[in-house]
Amino acid sequence: MSFLQLVANHYKDQLIAMVVDNAKIHRSPLIQDFIAKNGWILLIYLPPYSPDLNSIDRLWRWLKEMVIANWFHPTRSSIEEAMNSFLHIFLIFLKLRLNSFPFINNVY
């Protein structure tokens, strides 16, 4: 609610379209009442199961492929090491990806 209020106050004179998933919180009566009272905010819901449209699902799939699927981790530290390696690779990927946009500067 506080995020929605912040966005509503900042962009009061503009139509706001927000793409959200189908989490229960996004469909709660509290949110629905707020949207009804603030007619310039439009929530666009992703289809109920849409992993190709939801970035976090792609990240989870990549994580499972790199760390979990077809890997045996005999100890907790082995899993932690694999996760740290994955996160390191992901951060490099993210930096390269973000730095490819000319309007984003100094991404670290």
Side-chain angles (χ1 to χ4, degrees), residues 54-66 68 83 86:
N54 194 344
S55 300
I56 195 66
D57 284 328
R58 290 193 299 256
L59 178 62
W60 286 128
R61 186 177 335 138
W62 188 22
L63 172 104
K64 286 188 238 177
E65 289 171 4
M66 298 293 289
I68 300 170
M83 284 294 301
F86 171 80

Side-chain angles (χ1 to χ4, degrees), residues 37-53:
K37 292 175 187 168
N38 296 278
W40 65 92
I41 300 175
L42 172 65
L43 295 183
I44 302 169
Y45 292 94
L46 291 173
Y49 182 71
S50 53
D52 293 338
L53 300 177

Side-chain angles (χ1 to χ4, degrees), residues 7-102:
V7 171
N9 291 341
H10 189 75
Y11 298 102
K12 195 163 190 119
D13 298 330
Q14 301 173 31
L15 174 64
I16 301 166
M18 300 177 91
V19 178
V20 295
D21 62 15
N22 280 284
K24 287 182 183 181
I25 187 69
H26 297 144
R27 294 194 178 270
S28 72
L30 184 66
I31 299 295
Q32 296 305 312
D33 289 344
F34 183 84
I35 296 299
K37 292 175 187 168
N38 296 278
W40 65 92
I41 300 175
L42 172 65
L43 295 183
I44 302 169
Y45 292 94
L46 291 173
Y49 182 71
S50 53
D52 293 338
L53 300 177
N54 194 344
S55 300
I56 195 66
D57 284 328
R58 290 193 299 256
L59 178 62
W60 286 128
R61 186 177 335 138
W62 188 22
L63 172 104
K64 286 188 238 177
E65 289 171 4
M66 298 293 289
V67 176
I68 300 170
N70 298 317
W71 294 93
F72 173 69
H73 297 284
T75 64
R76 180 182 172 139
S77 63
S78 171
I79 294 171
E80 289 173 355
E81 186 177 317
M83 284 294 301
N84 286 335
S85 294
F86 171 80
L87 291 173
H88 180 73
I89 291 167
F90 175 70
L91 288 175
I92 292 170
F93 169 80
L94 187 60
K95 285 179 193 177
L96 291 172
R97 178 81 187 217
L98 290 175
N99 285 328
S100 68
F101 295 99

